[in-house]
Amino acid sequence: MKKNLPKLLLTLPFFLGILLFHPANAQDEFGIKGGILFSNVNAVNNNSNVDFENKNGFTFGAFYKRDLFGPLSLQTELLYELKGTNYFIEKNEFYDPNDYSFEEYTQLLNEPKSYYKDKDHYHYLTLPVLLTLRTTKFLDIYAGPQLGYLISSKRNWEETGNLNRFSVGFAAGAGLTLSDKTRIDFRYSSDLTRFDTLDKSSSIDLKNYGFSVSIQQTLFRK
């Protein structure tokens, strides 16, 4: 992450320049948004006895939107997001061959698999910067990078204490206008950086991803 930090800092003037550019007749909006977040982790090179499943969470925060030119606008958000995953650890992996005869151990391994089930909670602050294109009067599409900071976490299946708190990813989706100040937002987001551990020797590469459905409400517009 530290190696990528200079590149990220170099992009900030570009985004700030866009934010400060304010063409004539442009429109600014500020408001709040919130909704449900279906999250999970993408486990690359997962050769362990741990399987992952979607977990329900939520997202809420504030947004600021500024017109650029034509149908283009830029929207920045500051969100609190509860991410995580449900995971299953295969019980059969905990059998010690030394405690059984060869026949008993073989029989145990051939039995239907059973699992321990638990869940992880990841509390994030997320900062998306999204370029939005209005395609019709009622539909916008958007995409852009996002930065994340892990505020706190609860992990039971792996005692590491060395989680990567900073994340870099992207978000993309569409917004459907319900009324003059209300929009329903459908979004897919994914991290590009691993969060599981800062130890690069770890074989499993875990990255957050999720799908959210939220309501966006404009509070004032000028």
Side-chain angles (χ1 to χ4, degrees):
M1 179 65 191
K2 291 182 179 180
K3 293 181 179 180
N4 294 329
L5 189 57
K7 295 181 181 180
L8 294 175
L9 293 176
L10 288 175
T11 64
L12 289 179
F14 170 75
F15 289 118
L16 290 175
I18 294 178
L19 287 171
L20 292 175
F21 175 68
H22 196 199
N25 300 321
Q27 186 169 258
D28 296 337
E29 292 184 36
F30 176 81
I32 56 176
K33 63 186 306 178
I36 189 169
L37 172 63
F38 306 96
S39 64
N40 203 346
V41 296
N42 182 16
V44 182
N45 300 323
N46 183 14
N47 297 318
S48 69
N49 61 323
V50 183
D51 292 322
F52 301 94
E53 183 183 75
N54 289 343
K55 177 184 174 299
N56 295 343
F58 57 85
T59 174
F60 71 86
F63 73 90
Y64 172 71
K65 185 177 181 180
R66 166 167 286 191
D67 286 348
L68 297 179
F69 49 87
L72 293 177
S73 58
L74 191 73
Q75 179 163 309
T76 58
E77 301 171 356
L78 182 61
L79 305 173
Y80 168 77
E81 296 186 320
L82 176 60
K83 301 180 181 181
T85 181
N86 294 318
Y87 61 86
F88 303 85
I89 302 178
E90 187 179 331
K91 290 183 180 180
N92 306 54
E93 294 289 333
F94 296 101
Y95 295 138
D96 187 345
N98 296 321
D99 295 336
Y100 305 91
S101 67
F102 177 78
E103 291 77 12
E104 290 173 331
Y105 184 69
T106 302
Q107 182 179 355
L108 288 172
L109 292 181
N110 289 330
E111 289 180 353
K113 293 182 178 181
S114 57
Y115 296 86
Y116 295 104
K117 180 180 179 181
D118 213 324
K119 59 184 65 177
D120 283 352
H121 301 276
Y122 310 126
H123 302 269
Y124 272 89
L125 278 180
T126 306
L127 179 67
V129 181
L130 307 169
L131 185 63
T132 300
L133 173 65
R134 166 142 294 196
T135 59
T136 68
K137 183 178 180 180
F138 301 102
L139 180 65
D140 297 341
I141 57 175
Y142 60 82
Q146 68 176 24
L147 303 178
Y149 179 76
L150 179 63
I151 304 171
S152 64
S153 63
K154 179 183 178 182
R155 308 192 74 190
N156 297 326
W157 67 276
E158 182 186 22
E159 293 296 333
T160 168
N162 201 22
L163 296 179
N164 187 359
R165 292 193 175 274
F166 292 95
S167 63
V168 179
F170 69 91
L176 183 64
T177 300
L178 301 180
S179 67
D180 181 52
K181 293 186 177 182
T182 306
R183 190 177 82 166
I184 184 169
D185 191 33
F186 303 92
R187 177 175 303 179
Y188 174 80
S189 60
S190 179
D191 286 350
L192 301 176
T193 53
R194 58 187 293 173
F195 78 92
D196 54 319
T197 176
L198 297 179
D199 180 8
K200 299 304 181 182
S201 64
S202 176
S203 60
I204 307 178
D205 188 356
L206 300 181
K207 298 175 182 178
N208 285 304
Y209 73 92
F211 177 78
S212 65
V213 180
S214 60
I215 297 295
Q216 178 170 303
Q217 182 68 38
T218 299
L219 298 181
F220 71 82
R221 179 185 292 135
K222 65 176 182 177

PDB file of all heavy atoms in Angstrom, residues 173-191:
ATOM      1  N   GLY A 173     -22.073   1.583 -11.178  1.00  0.00           N
ATOM      2  CA  GLY A 173     -23.484   1.270 -11.008  1.00  0.00           C
ATOM      3  C   GLY A 173     -24.389   2.198 -11.793  1.00  0.00           C
ATOM      4  O   GLY A 173     -23.957   2.851 -12.756  1.00  0.00           O
ATOM      5  N   ALA A 174     -25.634   2.259 -11.358  1.00  0.00           N
ATOM      6  CA  ALA A 174     -26.644   3.065 -12.040  1.00  0.00           C
ATOM      7  C   ALA A 174     -27.598   3.655 -11.019  1.00  0.00           C
ATOM      8  O   ALA A 174     -27.850   3.067  -9.959  1.00  0.00           O
ATOM      9  CB  ALA A 174     -27.409   2.220 -13.051  1.00  0.00           C
ATOM     10  N   GLY A 175     -28.120   4.841 -11.335  1.00  0.00           N
ATOM     11  CA  GLY A 175     -29.083   5.510 -10.489  1.00  0.00           C
ATOM     12  C   GLY A 175     -30.378   5.745 -11.232  1.00  0.00           C
ATOM     13  O   GLY A 175     -30.366   6.212 -12.381  1.00  0.00           O
ATOM     14  N   LEU A 176     -31.481   5.390 -10.607  1.00  0.00           N
ATOM     15  CA  LEU A 176     -32.797   5.564 -11.211  1.00  0.00           C
ATOM     16  C   LEU A 176     -33.544   6.672 -10.470  1.00  0.00           C
ATOM     17  O   LEU A 176     -33.741   6.596  -9.252  1.00  0.00           O
ATOM     18  CB  LEU A 176     -33.584   4.254 -11.131  1.00  0.00           C
ATOM     19  CG  LEU A 176     -34.973   4.235 -11.780  1.00  0.00           C
ATOM     20  CD1 LEU A 176     -34.861   4.441 -13.282  1.00  0.00           C
ATOM     21  CD2 LEU A 176     -35.678   2.915 -11.477  1.00  0.00           C
ATOM     22  N   THR A 177     -33.923   7.730 -11.186  1.00  0.00           N
ATOM     23  CA  THR A 177     -34.601   8.874 -10.584  1.00  0.00           C
ATOM     24  C   THR A 177     -36.050   8.534 -10.266  1.00  0.00           C
ATOM     25  O   THR A 177     -36.818   8.136 -11.148  1.00  0.00           O
ATOM     26  CB  THR A 177     -34.554  10.080 -11.540  1.00  0.00           C
ATOM     27  OG1 THR A 177     -33.195  10.429 -11.797  1.00  0.00           O
ATOM     28  CG2 THR A 177     -35.265  11.284 -10.929  1.00  0.00           C
ATOM     29  N   LEU A 178     -36.422   8.693  -8.990  1.00  0.00           N
ATOM     30  CA  LEU A 178     -37.792   8.438  -8.559  1.00  0.00           C
ATOM     31  C   LEU A 178     -38.608   9.721  -8.495  1.00  0.00           C
ATOM     32  O   LEU A 178     -39.807   9.716  -8.765  1.00  0.00           O
ATOM     33  CB  LEU A 178     -37.792   7.757  -7.184  1.00  0.00           C
ATOM     34  CG  LEU A 178     -37.056   6.409  -7.093  1.00  0.00           C
ATOM     35  CD1 LEU A 178     -37.132   5.864  -5.676  1.00  0.00           C
ATOM     36  CD2 LEU A 178     -37.622   5.405  -8.091  1.00  0.00           C
ATOM     37  N   SER A 179     -37.935  10.824  -8.097  1.00  0.00           N
ATOM     38  CA  SER A 179     -38.576  12.136  -8.053  1.00  0.00           C
ATOM     39  C   SER A 179     -37.492  13.185  -8.208  1.00  0.00           C
ATOM     40  O   SER A 179     -36.325  12.863  -8.431  1.00  0.00           O
ATOM     41  CB  SER A 179     -39.344  12.325  -6.738  1.00  0.00           C
ATOM     42  OG  SER A 179     -38.447  12.388  -5.640  1.00  0.00           O
ATOM     43  N   ASP A 180     -37.878  14.450  -8.075  1.00  0.00           N
ATOM     44  CA  ASP A 180     -36.922  15.533  -8.295  1.00  0.00           C
ATOM     45  C   ASP A 180     -35.718  15.448  -7.368  1.00  0.00           C
ATOM     46  O   ASP A 180     -34.606  15.806  -7.755  1.00  0.00           O
ATOM     47  CB  ASP A 180     -37.630  16.882  -8.109  1.00  0.00           C
ATOM     48  CG  ASP A 180     -36.697  18.051  -8.347  1.00  0.00           C
ATOM     49  OD1 ASP A 180     -36.045  18.080  -9.410  1.00  0.00           O
ATOM     50  OD2 ASP A 180     -36.602  18.920  -7.464  1.00  0.00           O
ATOM     51  N   LYS A 181     -35.900  14.943  -6.143  1.00  0.00           N
ATOM     52  CA  LYS A 181     -34.805  14.907  -5.177  1.00  0.00           C
ATOM     53  C   LYS A 181     -34.493  13.505  -4.647  1.00  0.00           C
ATOM     54  O   LYS A 181     -33.676  13.360  -3.748  1.00  0.00           O
ATOM     55  CB  LYS A 181     -35.136  15.819  -3.990  1.00  0.00           C
ATOM     56  CG  LYS A 181     -35.179  17.298  -4.349  1.00  0.00           C
ATOM     57  CD  LYS A 181     -35.360  18.155  -3.116  1.00  0.00           C
ATOM     58  CE  LYS A 181     -35.328  19.643  -3.465  1.00  0.00           C
ATOM     59  NZ  LYS A 181     -35.457  20.490  -2.242  1.00  0.00           N
ATOM     60  N   THR A 182     -35.118  12.503  -5.209  1.00  0.00           N
ATOM     61  CA  THR A 182     -34.930  11.142  -4.706  1.00  0.00           C
ATOM     62  C   THR A 182     -34.493  10.207  -5.822  1.00  0.00           C
ATOM     63  O   THR A 182     -35.068  10.227  -6.922  1.00  0.00           O
ATOM     64  CB  THR A 182     -36.223  10.607  -4.068  1.00  0.00           C
ATOM     65  OG1 THR A 182     -36.674  11.525  -3.074  1.00  0.00           O
ATOM     66  CG2 THR A 182     -35.989   9.246  -3.441  1.00  0.00           C
ATOM     67  N   ARG A 183     -33.482   9.384  -5.510  1.00  0.00           N
ATOM     68  CA  ARG A 183     -32.950   8.448  -6.493  1.00  0.00           C
ATOM     69  C   ARG A 183     -32.649   7.125  -5.802  1.00  0.00           C
ATOM     70  O   ARG A 183     -32.223   7.097  -4.652  1.00  0.00           O
ATOM     71  CB  ARG A 183     -31.676   9.006  -7.118  1.00  0.00           C
ATOM     72  CG  ARG A 183     -31.175   8.222  -8.319  1.00  0.00           C
ATOM     73  CD  ARG A 183     -29.959   8.882  -8.931  1.00  0.00           C
ATOM     74  NE  ARG A 183     -28.740   8.524  -8.194  1.00  0.00           N
ATOM     75  CZ  ARG A 183     -27.516   8.740  -8.657  1.00  0.00           C
ATOM     76  NH1 ARG A 183     -27.341   9.335  -9.816  1.00  0.00           N
ATOM     77  NH2 ARG A 183     -26.469   8.389  -7.936  1.00  0.00           N
ATOM     78  N   ILE A 184     -32.881   6.027  -6.514  1.00  0.00           N
ATOM     79  CA  ILE A 184     -32.485   4.719  -6.014  1.00  0.00           C
ATOM     80  C   ILE A 184     -31.206   4.312  -6.740  1.00  0.00           C
ATOM     81  O   ILE A 184     -31.093   4.467  -7.959  1.00  0.00           O
ATOM     82  CB  ILE A 184     -33.603   3.665  -6.190  1.00  0.00           C
ATOM     83  CG1 ILE A 184     -33.180   2.342  -5.554  1.00  0.00           C
ATOM     84  CG2 ILE A 184     -33.994   3.504  -7.647  1.00  0.00           C
ATOM     85  CD1 ILE A 184     -34.308   1.339  -5.443  1.00  0.00           C
ATOM     86  N   ASP A 185     -30.248   3.839  -5.969  1.00  0.00           N
ATOM     87  CA  ASP A 185     -28.897   3.611  -6.467  1.00  0.00           C
ATOM     88  C   ASP A 185     -28.543   2.128  -6.389  1.00  0.00           C
ATOM     89  O   ASP A 185     -28.689   1.509  -5.330  1.00  0.00           O
ATOM     90  CB  ASP A 185     -27.925   4.441  -5.621  1.00  0.00           C
ATOM     91  CG  ASP A 185     -26.537   4.496  -6.216  1.00  0.00           C
ATOM     92  OD1 ASP A 185     -26.426   4.481  -7.453  1.00  0.00           O
ATOM     93  OD2 ASP A 185     -25.571   4.543  -5.438  1.00  0.00           O
ATOM     94  N   PHE A 186     -28.079   1.556  -7.503  1.00  0.00           N
ATOM     95  CA  PHE A 186     -27.639   0.165  -7.566  1.00  0.00           C
ATOM     96  C   PHE A 186     -26.136   0.162  -7.846  1.00  0.00           C
ATOM     97  O   PHE A 186     -25.701   0.728  -8.853  1.00  0.00           O
ATOM     98  CB  PHE A 186     -28.369  -0.598  -8.670  1.00  0.00           C
ATOM     99  CG  PHE A 186     -29.868  -0.576  -8.534  1.00  0.00           C
ATOM    100  CD1 PHE A 186     -30.617   0.407  -9.171  1.00  0.00           C
ATOM    101  CD2 PHE A 186     -30.528  -1.531  -7.771  1.00  0.00           C
ATOM    102  CE1 PHE A 186     -32.001   0.432  -9.061  1.00  0.00           C
ATOM    103  CE2 PHE A 186     -31.902  -1.514  -7.647  1.00  0.00           C
ATOM    104  CZ  PHE A 186     -32.645  -0.528  -8.291  1.00  0.00           C
ATOM    105  N   ARG A 187     -25.365  -0.471  -6.966  1.00  0.00           N
ATOM    106  CA  ARG A 187     -23.902  -0.340  -7.067  1.00  0.00           C
ATOM    107  C   ARG A 187     -23.164  -1.643  -6.808  1.00  0.00           C
ATOM    108  O   ARG A 187     -23.517  -2.409  -5.892  1.00  0.00           O
ATOM    109  CB  ARG A 187     -23.405   0.708  -6.075  1.00  0.00           C
ATOM    110  CG  ARG A 187     -21.888   0.886  -6.030  1.00  0.00           C
ATOM    111  CD  ARG A 187     -21.492   2.030  -5.115  1.00  0.00           C
ATOM    112  NE  ARG A 187     -22.128   3.267  -5.519  1.00  0.00           N
ATOM    113  CZ  ARG A 187     -21.971   4.424  -4.891  1.00  0.00           C
ATOM    114  NH1 ARG A 187     -21.203   4.491  -3.813  1.00  0.00           N
ATOM    115  NH2 ARG A 187     -22.592   5.507  -5.314  1.00  0.00           N
ATOM    116  N   TYR A 188     -22.132  -1.874  -7.624  1.00  0.00           N
ATOM    117  CA  TYR A 188     -21.169  -2.950  -7.366  1.00  0.00           C
ATOM    118  C   TYR A 188     -19.831  -2.294  -7.045  1.00  0.00           C
ATOM    119  O   TYR A 188     -19.416  -1.345  -7.723  1.00  0.00           O
ATOM    120  CB  TYR A 188     -21.010  -3.858  -8.581  1.00  0.00           C
ATOM    121  CG  TYR A 188     -19.911  -4.886  -8.402  1.00  0.00           C
ATOM    122  CD1 TYR A 188     -20.136  -6.048  -7.670  1.00  0.00           C
ATOM    123  CD2 TYR A 188     -18.647  -4.677  -8.940  1.00  0.00           C
ATOM    124  CE1 TYR A 188     -19.125  -6.983  -7.483  1.00  0.00           C
ATOM    125  CE2 TYR A 188     -17.635  -5.605  -8.754  1.00  0.00           C
ATOM    126  CZ  TYR A 188     -17.881  -6.757  -8.031  1.00  0.00           C
ATOM    127  OH  TYR A 188     -16.883  -7.669  -7.844  1.00  0.00           O
ATOM    128  N   SER A 189     -19.161  -2.785  -6.012  1.00  0.00           N
ATOM    129  CA  SER A 189     -17.858  -2.243  -5.648  1.00  0.00           C
ATOM    130  C   SER A 189     -16.920  -3.391  -5.295  1.00  0.00           C
ATOM    131  O   SER A 189     -17.355  -4.456  -4.825  1.00  0.00           O
ATOM    132  CB  SER A 189     -17.965  -1.266  -4.469  1.00  0.00           C
ATOM    133  OG  SER A 189     -18.493  -1.927  -3.329  1.00  0.00           O
ATOM    134  N   SER A 190     -15.635  -3.171  -5.516  1.00  0.00           N
ATOM    135  CA  SER A 190     -14.650  -4.205  -5.229  1.00  0.00           C
ATOM    136  C   SER A 190     -13.315  -3.554  -4.900  1.00  0.00           C
ATOM    137  O   SER A 190     -12.940  -2.551  -5.516  1.00  0.00           O
ATOM    138  CB  SER A 190     -14.496  -5.146  -6.431  1.00  0.00           C
ATOM    139  OG  SER A 190     -13.513  -6.141  -6.171  1.00  0.00           O
ATOM    140  N   ASP A 191     -12.613  -4.126  -3.933  1.00  0.00           N
ATOM    141  CA  ASP A 191     -11.265  -3.660  -3.610  1.00  0.00           C
ATOM    142  C   ASP A 191     -10.265  -4.273  -4.573  1.00  0.00           C
ATOM    143  O   ASP A 191     -10.415  -5.421  -5.014  1.00  0.00           O
ATOM    144  CB  ASP A 191     -10.885  -4.048  -2.180  1.00  0.00           C
ATOM    145  CG  ASP A 191     -11.602  -3.212  -1.137  1.00  0.00           C
ATOM    146  OD1 ASP A 191     -12.234  -2.214  -1.530  1.00  0.00           O
ATOM    147  OD2 ASP A 191     -11.532  -3.564   0.058  1.00  0.00           O
TER     148      ASP A 191
END
